Every structure is written in structure tokens, then in C-alpha cells.
Amino acid sequence: MAEYKPPTLPSPFTNTTPPPTLLTQGAEAHVYKTASLDPAIPAALKIRPSKPYRHPILDRRLTRQRIIQEARCLFKLIKEGVSVPGVLALDWEGHGGAESGWGGAWLLMEWVEGAVVRVVLERWEAWMKQNEASLNPVQREREEASARALLKRMGATIGALHKAGVIHGDLTTSNLMLRGSPQDNTATTTTENGASMKGDIVLIDFGLASQSVQDEDRAVDLYVLERAIGSTHPRSEPFFDALVQGYRESHRGAPSTLKRLEDVRMRGRKRSMIG
Ligand SMILES: Nc1ncnc2c1ncn2[C@@H]1O[C@H](COP(=O)(O)OP(=O)(O)OP(=O)(O)O)[C@@H](O)[C@H]1O
Ligand SMILES: [Mg+2]
């Protein structure tokens, strides 16, 4: 099998020291940690490489649209005071030119120091599994309260997003970050884990976002996250009511969205009974 070669970096990032480090490589985008104009300030670089199998004109248009759409969304949300990374720079023209083999588009964002919620919840669930036998009721209560509080803050942040008229379109625990939370397991002790669940929630990845204030769209956004939590974080799923509570308190339209969420759940259950 051919060895995997990441796509060529766009020209402003080919000569930086240290070179950008690849964090994730999805089907559509590659994310690097790099520096901003000030080398002391880290930044996240999201690249949408061009796809060689697509017609070049169509490919350009699609790549360009996605990155502009994502940046526009971030600008709007920052203006509205929603917790998302700031935009530092972007290029949708594929500068770097054909001679460098670069025809994609990129977005340079503020670096969020922290962990994605998926990691935070996985760490918590593993910790609980390992330590729960030795926890007294007070300690156990405290741990569960930390997890609930985290989900409640997630709900409040998603509420602020919806209030701003934006639907995320891909709400999973990988697209929510917890600022300040350690990225590895070092911070947890055998007597307490909850400390690593403190911090502000930051929403990321607006590649599939859209504008809407419809209850249906908002409810589906929440339902997608509920399903994601149910399948990846079974121990945290019972705390989804805390998320709902955070959401309910976030804006005036929330109660009617949550009513709609019950319909969406019902449809989901029917579908899984048939299919
Ligand atoms: N601003 C940021 N600061 C720190 N880490 C980030 C930032 N943006 C993204 N990341 C990290 O990179 C990962 C992937 O980013 P993102 O979710 O935006 O891309 P993706 O899922 O590959 O994109 P898409 O779904 O649009 O194709 C995140 O889960 C997170 O770990
Ligand atoms: Mg993502």
C-alpha cells in the first residue's frame, strides 16, 4: 500500500519554524497547530485541500464556498458574543498557485487551549469506572455534579448559538471544546476528576452550519448531539437533562424548541422500530 502523504501546505505555512503539526485529517479537512503572525501565539489552521478527482472548476467553487461559509459564520458568531474561535486569516483563492500543487482553501483561527468534550467525557467515564467502588456517596455526588455542570454549560452555549440564528449541523462531542481542560490524563487523581471538567465551552467546526430560527432545525441539532452522546458516552447520557436545562434557560425561544425535540425523538424511535 502506498504510504500516506498529507497534502502540500499552502505557501505561507511552508517555511515556519517549527513546522505546523497535523492534528486531524478528516475526509474533508486537515487541521494543524501552527503559529499566527506572532510566532509566540499559536493558531489552528484548517485546510480544505482540492480534490483531484473532481472537475477543477467545480472543485474550486466547492472548496471556496465551504471555507468562506465557515469563516462568515465565525465572524457573525463572534459579533453576537457566542463562544467560538476568532478568525485570524483566510484564503479562498488557492494562492500558492498551480506550480506548488496547491489549489485548496484555508482558514487560520485562534487556538483554543483545551480538550474536545469527547476526550473530557471519555476520561471521566474511564475514571468513574475505575474508582467508583472506592468513592463515598459525597465524592460520587460531587463527580456527577461536575459532569452535569459540564453538560449544562454545553446546553447554554448551544442555546446562545441558536439564539444568534445559527444551526451547527454537526453537533458531536468532538465539535465542542472545553477551554483549559488538560489534553491528556495527567491532571486526574484517584480522589477527584471533576476539576478537569471546569472551563468555558467553545464551539468549533462550522463546515456544515446554516442559518435558521426554526424550532425543527434547532431541535434536530440537539437531537443529533443527544444521539451522539448516547452512543459514545453511555455513562453521561443520563445527564442529558442537565444540557436541556442549560438550553432552556438560554433564550426565550428555547421552551418551544424543546417541545419540538420531543416530537423529533418520537420520530427517531419510530424510525428505529421500523428500520
Ligand atoms: N481553534 C482550534 N483550537 C484548537 N484545536 C482545534 C481548533 N479547531 C479544531 N481543533 C482540533 O481539530 C479537530 C478537527 O477540527 P474540525 O472539527 O474543525 O475539523 P473536521 O471535523 O475535520 O472538519 P469538517 O467536519 O468540517 O470536515 C478538532 O476536533 C479539535 O481537536
Ligand atoms: Mg469536527
Side-chain angles (χ1 to χ4, degrees), residues 23-32 43-46 48 66 70 85-86 109-116 118 170 173-177 183 202 204-208:
L23 296 173
T24 61
Q25 130 220 323
E28 299 283 332
H30 298 240
V31 178
Y32 291 82
L45 174 67
K46 186 163 183 175
R48 294 195 179 279
R66 292 275 307 267
E70 186 161 5
M109 292 170 280
E110 173 199 349
W111 178 255
V112 178
E113 197 62 60
V116 292
R118 180 180 50 76
D170 187 20
T173 52
S174 300
N175 288 336
L176 291 154
M177 291 189 73
Q183 281 168 336
V202 184
I204 60 165
D205 195 358
F206 289 86
L208 293 172

Side-chain angles (χ1 to χ4, degrees), residues 155-209:
T157 306
I158 296 164
L161 173 78
H162 286 176
K163 186 181 175 198
V166 176
I167 303 300
H168 186 282
D170 187 20
L171 279 179
T172 63
T173 52
S174 300
N175 288 336
L176 291 154
M177 291 189 73
L178 184 57
R179 210 191 277 278
S181 184
Q183 281 168 336
D184 51 30
N185 289 331
T186 49
T188 55
T189 68
T190 48
T191 51
E192 202 204 332
N193 176 80
S196 66
M197 300 178 106
K198 295 203 163 55
D200 292 330
I201 297 290
V202 184
L203 292 157
I204 60 165
D205 195 358
F206 289 86
L208 293 172

Side-chain angles (χ1 to χ4, degrees), residues 76-85 157 160-162 164 203 206:
K76 177 188 163 99
L77 292 171
I78 292 158
K79 203 178 81 195
E80 301 279 339
V82 181
S83 176
V84 296
T157 306
L161 173 78
H162 286 176
L203 292 157
F206 289 86

Side-chain angles (χ1 to χ4, degrees), residues 3-20:
E3 192 190 333
Y4 171 77
K5 274 215 239 45
T8 354
L9 282 167
S11 52
F13 304 100
T14 44
N15 282 316
T16 57
T17 29

